[in-house]
Amino acid sequence: MTKARAIEVLNEAYDGFLIAEKVCSDAFKDEITDRKIALLTAIDALEQDNGWISVKDRRPEPNTWIMVYIKYPSPVFEFETGIQKMSGIKKVFYYGEGFYCDFGTITHWMPLPEPPESEDDAE
């Protein structure tokens, strides 16, 4: 299932609860409200997803190249070690035993994007 289809299904479920809310007894209104809030939260999370996966949620397949987001400890640390923080995004090889970075903390990862279909566009 694609992300777009999942959002569509969740929206349909939300619409169903709107209809049910109109015909149900007061005893079920709080339950329906809770379910509507949960659906809206899920829809929002899917719509906001930018591809980054928390290392707390899931690890990549072993022996793969991935992009990682590195949270740098502090500006003082960067100054003392001479590291210039241009971006917290780096390409690394994940061996499958854990995340290691000697100058920051890896908090998120994502698979590398597919390469371009044609190299003719590089001119």
Side-chain angles (χ1 to χ4, degrees):
M1 174 181 288
T2 65
K3 182 169 47 169
R5 177 65 181 135
I7 292 170
E8 183 180 331
V9 169
L10 291 171
N11 274 314
E12 290 170 1
Y14 181 81
D15 291 343
F17 279 114
L18 288 177
I19 294 167
E21 189 175 46
K22 293 178 183 177
V23 297
C24 76
S25 67
D26 288 339
F28 294 104
K29 296 240 186 227
D30 288 342
E31 180 68 23
I32 289 175
T33 299
D34 288 345
R35 291 176 188 264
K36 285 180 2 190
I37 291 169
L39 285 166
L40 290 174
T41 302
I43 291 166
D44 186 54
L46 283 169
E47 289 175 338
Q48 298 299 318
D49 178 24
N50 60 6
W52 289 104
I53 302 164
S54 172
V55 298
K56 294 176 184 175
D57 294 338
R58 183 165 54 96
R59 300 293 174 110
E61 291 294 318
N63 302 315
T64 56
W65 283 98
I66 57 171
M67 285 193 303
V68 295
Y69 180 78
I70 300 168
K71 178 182 174 187
Y72 292 90
S74 71
V76 172
F77 179 84
E78 292 166 25
F79 177 74
E80 289 174 354
T81 59
I83 296 171
Q84 276 193 316
K85 181 180 157 189
M86 301 301 287
S87 169
I89 299 171
K90 305 289 180 208
K91 177 182 166 185
V92 299
F93 189 78
Y94 180 69
Y95 292 97
E97 295 182 15
F99 289 97
Y100 173 76
C101 180
D102 58 356
F103 55 87
T105 303
I106 296 173
T107 61
H108 292 78
W109 68 275
M110 71 168 45
L112 291 177
E114 292 296 320
E117 289 183 23
S118 170
E119 292 183 18
D120 296 337
D121 298 334
E123 293 181 25

